[in-house]
Amino acid sequence: QVQLVESGGGLVQAGGSLRLSCAVSGRISSINAMGWYRQAPGKQRELVATITGGGSTNYADSVKGRFTISRDNAKNTVYLQMNSLKPEDTATYVCNADVSSGYVKYLYQGRGTQVTVSS
């Protein structure tokens, strides 16, 4: 069994910063790509950022230059540093991880953490 637990969400004023964390635990052989997506009410789910096992990153155009994804492989944790936050960044942020457990490989996701940006 593999679990992903996000933390770090909250309420922040526009222009502020937050750092999200997502810790992966359980039966893990290796963690491949990890990422964050967000879901706001009435909007389509948006893939925010991804990071490969080798550290290559990709970002949605809407967050480029403001958000930074990183990972600590020793801690099985992925981070999302969010700067210059805007009200349109308000959403539930969910992390996912492509985890290998023995011969099984599966894309797991967490339950999400709420980010609210006030204007």
Side-chain angles (χ1 to χ4, degrees):
Q1 190 75 4
V2 174
Q3 290 185 324
L4 278 66
V5 178
E6 300 99 334
S7 61
L11 174 64
V12 64
Q13 286 189 331
S17 298
L18 284 174
R19 188 192 193 209
L20 306 183
S21 300
C22 173
V24 184
S25 63
R27 187 169 175 261
I28 301 167
S29 298
S30 63
I31 302 176
N32 310 300
M34 306 177 83
W36 291 90
Y37 67 89
R38 63 188 181 187
Q39 179 76 61
K43 294 185 178 180
Q44 281 193 329
R45 189 174 76 174
E46 180 182 26
L47 184 61
V48 175
T50 60
I51 184 166
T52 67
S56 296
T57 59
N58 271 296
Y59 298 93
D61 287 343
S62 58
V63 306
K64 278 181 182 176
R66 300 187 299 122
F67 291 11
T68 302
I69 188 170
S70 61
R71 61 191 287 170
D72 184 333
N73 292 327
K75 295 182 178 179
N76 291 334
T77 298
V78 62
Y79 305 98
L80 186 68
Q81 178 66 45
M82 306 185 295
N83 299 328
S84 301
L85 282 161
K86 304 174 181 180
E88 51 263 44
D89 294 318
T90 295
T92 298
Y93 285 71
V94 181
C95 73
N96 59 25
D98 185 18
V99 179
S100 294
S101 304
Y103 295 106
V104 177
K105 188 178 178 184
Y106 192 78
L107 183 65
Y108 294 90
Q109 69 178 40
R111 291 190 175 186
T113 185
Q114 179 66 36
V115 171
T116 302
V117 184
S118 63
S119 57

